Amino acid sequence: MPSPKPDLHAILDLDRTIHEPARLAILTVLAAAEEVEFLFLQRITGLSKGNLSSHTQKLETAGFLETLKAFRGRIPVTSFRITGEGRAALQAYHRQLRALLPKEGKP
Amino acid sequence: MPSPKPDLHAILDLDRTIHEPARLAILTVLAAAEEVEFLFLQRITGLSKGNLSSHTQKLETAGFLETLKAFRGRIPVTSFRITGEGRAALQAYHRQLRALLPKEGKP
DNA sequence: TGAAACTAGTTTGTAGCACAAACTAGTTTT
DNA sequence: AAAACTAGTTTGTGCTACAAACTAGTTTCA
C-alpha cells in the first residue's frame, strides 16, 4: 500500500496565488509565450480588463511576472513576462496537482 | 501539434465548489472512506470546527454529500457520506486537472 | 448537587478576494 | 472640436473563507 490516499497536506498547502483559475490561466499563457501583451491576454482568457489588471498586479506583487510598459507609435502597450520565480512556482504547483490526483486509470 | 498548450477553458471552467482546497480535501476523504465522522474529518484535515461545518454545509447544498445525524450513547455524532453526484463531480474535477497539466516529463 | 470542564457542532463577525462598472488619460476619426 | 476609440486602472459591491464566540447538552469532581 504505497500511496493509498492523496496527501491532504498537498491539497491544503496549494499555492493560493496560483490556484486561482484566472491567475493560473495567465501564468500558463506566459509560461508558453515568453512575452505577452495585455490585450492578447485579455482576448484569449476572456477576462475583463479590470479583472485582468488586478490579477496581473497580484502576480507581479508575488514576483511571478514582470510588467513592461512601452509605446507602439503613440499608443501605450503593456506586456508581461513570467519571471524565473514564476516559472518555478508554476512547476511546483503542477507537481502539487500531480501529487493529489489518483493514479491514472482508477475507477 | 496536437495539444500544444493546456486549454484555458479547462482552467477557467474548473468547478469552484470543488476547487476550494478545504472542500477538495473533504471530498477526497469521503471518496475514500464511504462514511466519515465530523471529528475524524476535522482531525485529519486540520480545519477548525466552524470552517469544517460551513464547508460541509456548502457541499451538502451542492448535493455532493449527505449529512447523517445520530447519537453514540447520548452524545451527538455527525457523519458524512459522499453522494453519487459528489463522486461524479470529483472525478470530473480530476479529469479537468489532468487536462490542464502539461504532459509528464516536460521541463 | 451544583459548578466546572468537556463534547459536538452552529452561528456570527470580519477581513480579504474576485469581479465588472465606472473612470482616467490620451489618440484617432469625422 | 466633438465624438468615438484605445489601453488600462481605480472603485465599489457582493461573496467567501476563516476563526471566535456561542448553543446545547453531558460528564467529572469537590
Side-chain angles (χ1 to χ4, degrees):
Chain A
M1 218 215 259
S3 176
K5 46 177 168 277
D7 185 359
L8 293 181
H9 267 290
I11 296 177
L12 293 160
D13 291 351
L14 282 166
D15 181 339
R16 298 298 262 249
T17 301
I18 296 185
H19 194 58
E20 165 61 32
R23 289 192 291 266
L24 176 56
I26 291 167
L27 272 192
T28 298
V29 174
L30 293 191
E34 203 60 28
E35 181 162 338
V36 176
E37 293 180 12
F38 187 100
L39 281 186
F40 177 78
L41 211 42
Q42 197 207 334
R43 271 159 205 162
I44 60 169
T45 60
L47 296 168
S48 69
K49 284 162 193 263
N51 202 3
L52 178 55
S53 177
S54 65
H55 283 306
T56 53
Q57 283 180 33
K58 216 153 276 189
L59 287 167
E60 182 173 36
T61 298
F64 293 171
L65 60 75
E66 54 183 340
T67 304
L68 303 144
K69 297 274 189 183
F71 286 88
R72 169 149 40 251
R74 345 187 101 262
I75 300 283
V77 180
T78 300
S79 299
F80 306 101
R81 267 177 188 278
I82 193 169
T83 62
E85 200 184 340
R87 202 176 288 279
L90 181 60
Q91 286 170 7
Y93 179 76
H94 286 158
R95 279 194 297 277
Q96 286 178 301
L97 286 194
R98 286 212 175 82
L100 71 83
L101 280 170
K103 295 270 168 284
E104 195 101 39
K106 259 197 156 179
Chain B
M1 217 215 257
S3 175
K5 47 178 170 278
D7 186 357
L8 293 181
H9 267 289
I11 297 178
L12 293 160
D13 290 351
L14 282 167
D15 181 339
R16 298 298 260 250
T17 301
I18 297 186
H19 193 57
E20 164 61 31
R23 288 191 291 266
L24 177 55
I26 292 167
L27 272 192
T28 299
V29 175
L30 293 192
E34 204 60 29
E35 181 161 341
V36 176
E37 291 180 13
F38 186 99
L39 282 185
F40 176 80
L41 211 42
Q42 197 207 332
R43 269 157 207 163
I44 60 168
T45 60
L47 296 168
S48 69
K49 285 161 192 267
N51 201 2
L52 177 55
S53 177
S54 66
H55 283 306
T56 53
Q57 283 180 33
K58 215 154 275 186
L59 286 166
E60 181 172 38
T61 299
F64 293 169
L65 61 75
E66 55 183 340
T67 304
L68 303 144
K69 296 276 189 185
F71 286 87
R72 169 153 33 255
R74 346 186 102 262
I75 300 283
V77 180
T78 301
S79 300
F80 305 101
R81 270 178 185 277
I82 193 168
T83 62
E85 201 184 338
R87 202 176 286 279
L90 181 60
Q91 286 170 7
Y93 179 76
H94 286 158
R95 280 195 295 278
Q96 287 178 300
L97 286 193
R98 286 216 174 79
L100 71 82
L101 280 170
K103 295 272 169 281
E104 194 103 37
K106 258 198 156 180

